[in-house]
Amino acid sequence: LAPALDREGDRGSNEWGVTPSLSASGRPMIANDPHLGLDTPSTFYPIHLKGGSMDVYGEGFAGIPGVILGHNKFIAWGATTNPMDVTDTFIEQLIADPSSPSGLAIVHEGVREPVEAIPETFRVNTLGAGVVEVPPGGGIPEATLVVPRRNNGPLVFANVAASMGVSVQFTGFSATREVETFLRWNRARNLGEFMEGLQSFDFGSQNWAYADVHGNLAYFTSGEMPLREDLEAGAVDGLPPFFVRDGTGGNEWLPVAHPQPNQAVPYEILPPDEMPQVVNPPAGWFVNANNDPAGTTLDN
């Protein structure tokens, strides 16, 4: 628990920006240091992509098309991490259920819901023998147990004798479209096109720094923030989301009823215009170093 309790940590990304009124050139400026460790393989790789309507420089991920952080001839952008709460952990009432394909079910508001079993095959490279399939047993499971209600999240602990399980719900467990964001930004020419691309950055919440040749400086947050039924009703039911929540009812992510532009996850989310953001800040600058912009996550 020591790393979680350490409030004096000095790790993390940083970024800042100034408007034309504060720069010597009369143009907006941004600076960004993603501040990641030098791993092998590296997280980022320098890239210059040029072809057709694309001429973009920056850093990319291995195997992902496009530049993730960088600039073209019209816009520039950078990022730090935003600790938005997009994951909940639930104590489930878990029972044996012969009618379920996995033989297990959770109980939600008195109704049984089957737990699904996704078959798994694990393979390893062995010196002299090539790729070898590892049989189930010990710490190797035959299948991953999935709770459909939890955005198809896994059941990470199960004790049928105690009628208890622990599941995890995360916005990134369903299909999302972050690659589309970067392909749009690589070709973007103005703030409007950058904001259109932002709508496809569905999970992995970030603080984005933006500047363009038209004189604009902006800061945006991204990611689809799920809305919890008890919090939207104005009170916490049981334990708040930063603890383990009650999976039998009262703490659910609300099913989507008001879909936002290009929304991916099947739950109600915070509308984009309610996300922290500023365009051409009146102060003439902004700064962020993995800060929680709304002040509601790191201090609960």
Side-chain angles (χ1 to χ4, degrees), residues 63 122 147 177 191 228 244 255:
F122 294 88
V147 182
R177 298 167 300 184
L191 179 60
R228 284 81 170 173
V244 181

Side-chain angles (χ1 to χ4, degrees), residues 1 5 7 85 87-91 166-169 228 230-231 236-247 251 253 296-300:
L1 294 177
L5 296 174
R7 299 289 180 171
D85 191 357
T87 306
D88 282 353
T89 304
F90 293 88
I91 292 286
V166 177
S167 67
V168 178
Q169 187 164 356
R228 284 81 170 173
D230 56 330
L231 303 187
V236 175
D237 183 354
L239 294 174
F242 48 89
F243 289 111
V244 181
R245 310 211 83 190
D246 182 2
N251 295 162
W253 292 6
T296 59
T297 300
L298 292 181
D299 61 1
N300 298 318

Side-chain angles (χ1 to χ4, degrees), residues 33-46:
D33 175 9
H35 221 107
L36 299 179
L38 294 177
D39 298 326
T40 302
S42 177
T43 302
F44 283 118
Y45 289 85

Side-chain angles (χ1 to χ4, degrees), residues 81-102:
T81 299
N82 174 1
M84 195 165 72
D85 191 357
V86 295
T87 306
D88 282 353
T89 304
F90 293 88
I91 292 286
E92 306 284 6
Q93 183 181 348
L94 185 69
I95 60 172
D97 184 356
S99 66
S100 168
S102 68

Side-chain angles (χ1 to χ4, degrees), residues 17-19 21 217-219 278-286:
V18 296
T19 60
S21 64
L217 176 76
Y219 161 86
V278 64
V279 176
N280 297 321
W285 59 275
F286 71 83

